[in-house]
Amino acid sequence: MARDLIVIGNWKMYKTSREASNYIEHLLSKIEGCKASVFLAVPFTSISSAAASARQAKLEVGAQNMNDARDGAFTGEIAALMLKEAGATFVLLGHSERRRIFGESDAFIHRKVLRALADDLRPVLCVGETLDERSGGETEEVLKRQIETALADVPEEKAGEVILAYEPVWAIGTGKNATPEMAQEVHAFCRACLADLFGKRKAGQISILYGGSVKPENVRSLVSEKDIDGVLVGGAALDPETLAEIIQQCEGI
Ligand code: PGA
């Protein structure tokens, strides 16, 4: 695989800052010598302690959301610069839980992507179709719209900062994962969308991760596919032992 292998753990709304430090200590003891890039998307209040615990290790700490404005009167929101100063290096954007539960639109996610890039945070753009959309044969149309809208106006020289995560909504937290062949087909389609936006060479450098019920038992066959450059893990990432196992499986240890 020409691209780096990336494993992202998404803690969602779990773990206090104290729990974050214990988790990271445990995880690091299990993945010494691993070559994959490991990212943890943690709750806002755990970013500082997680980043401090991750220091000197090859572990990136990031957030799960942010606002698109630089600053302003937006009660309860958080800005990219605040995340950055707390120790975040990346941010998940457009996760299906944000889209579905909090009504985030493609246009809003687009503005967030531009803000993250402007303020030096790596955006991890999450896209994916619902079960109804898949049954209705709309998967490609939905993904094309999500990708093209979110990444419009991203300058080609910044495109390499973006990480794309394909997460079929029907596979998130359900125990049902896409088969490796099914995921590969969609990843190849996503890469073609990226090529339309940034050219084939650039598209070949962008990592596309798979997410949705990833576990130690299914990760190896997923990352063996040509266009699957790593995984975004929710539930199974809550236990550092299981995440370490996923990382080891990915590397074929
Ligand atoms: P899951 O979640 O691994 O629990 O399916 C993935 C995600 O929400 O990113």
Side-chain angles (χ1 to χ4, degrees):
M1 185 164 50
R3 295 165 292 271
D4 287 346
L5 183 63
I6 300 176
V7 177
I8 304 183
N10 174 14
W11 287 358
K12 309 196 179 193
M13 202 174 73
Y14 293 99
K15 300 194 191 295
T16 64
S17 55
R18 189 170 309 148
E19 288 168 331
S21 312
N22 293 338
Y23 175 111
I24 289 174
E25 233 170 82
H26 192 150
L27 177 69
L28 290 177
S29 72
K30 296 276 167 187
I31 59 168
E32 258 173 60
C34 285
K35 287 191 271 321
S37 301
V38 181
F39 290 32
L40 289 177
V42 307
F44 298 139
T45 50
S46 298
I47 292 174
S48 301
S49 70
S53 310
R55 218 175 14 202
Q56 294 171 348
K58 210 177 148 220
L59 182 61
E60 308 267 344
V61 172
Q64 302 166 14
N65 181 33
M66 56 170 245
N67 191 264
D68 65 314
R70 189 180 182 282
D71 52 19
F74 301 110
T75 303
E77 289 294 279
I78 196 143
L81 289 172
M82 297 166 185
L83 299 174
K84 179 97 192 144
E85 199 175 294
T89 58
F90 75 94
V91 59
L92 301 185
L93 295 177
H95 189 281
S96 70
E97 284 152 16
R98 301 293 322 167
R99 294 177 189 261
R100 184 171 48 85
I101 307 169
F102 302 100
E104 292 194 5
S105 66
D106 287 323
F108 190 28
I109 295 160
H110 171 225
R111 296 197 301 274
K112 294 184 193 212
V113 168
L114 296 181
R115 170 61 56 197
L117 288 170
D119 289 347
D120 205 19
L121 276 183
R122 265 190 105 168
V124 178
L125 172 67
C126 305
V127 296
E129 82 286 2
T130 62
L131 192 54
D132 277 355
E133 288 163 343
R134 175 161 280 268
S135 321
E138 295 162 34
T139 301
E140 294 196 347
E141 187 188 318
V142 168
L143 292 171
K144 192 173 166 63
R145 189 200 69 229
Q146 291 179 341
I147 293 171
E148 286 186 351
T149 313
L151 299 181
D153 315 314
V154 168
E156 201 200 306
E157 68 275 11
K158 289 261 188 181
E161 292 294 300
V162 174
I163 296 171
L164 191 65
Y166 167 57
E167 298 203 294
V169 180
W170 47 270
I172 296 180
T174 59
K176 286 186 216 142
N177 67 294
T179 63
E181 299 73 28
M182 200 192 265
Q184 164 57 31
E185 199 181 313
V186 177
H187 280 230
F189 176 76
C190 291
R191 204 174 297 288
C193 293
L194 294 172
D196 287 344
L197 288 169
F198 306 116
K200 207 159 173 232
R201 197 182 60 86
K202 202 68 183 184
Q205 295 165 358
I206 297 176
S207 295
I208 308 179
L209 315 184
Y210 169 81
S213 298
V214 172
K215 328 181 247 282
E217 298 75 34
N218 60 20
V219 71
R220 189 87 175 262
S221 54
L222 286 161
V223 298
S224 304
E225 295 290 339
K226 174 166 147 291
D227 287 291
I228 304 183
D229 308 315
V231 285
L232 174 47
V233 190
L238 291 177
D239 175 6
E241 292 270 340
T242 314
L243 186 63
E245 238 185 283
I246 287 175
I247 296 164
Q248 287 158 1
Q249 283 294 332
C250 266
E251 295 193 352
I253 290 170

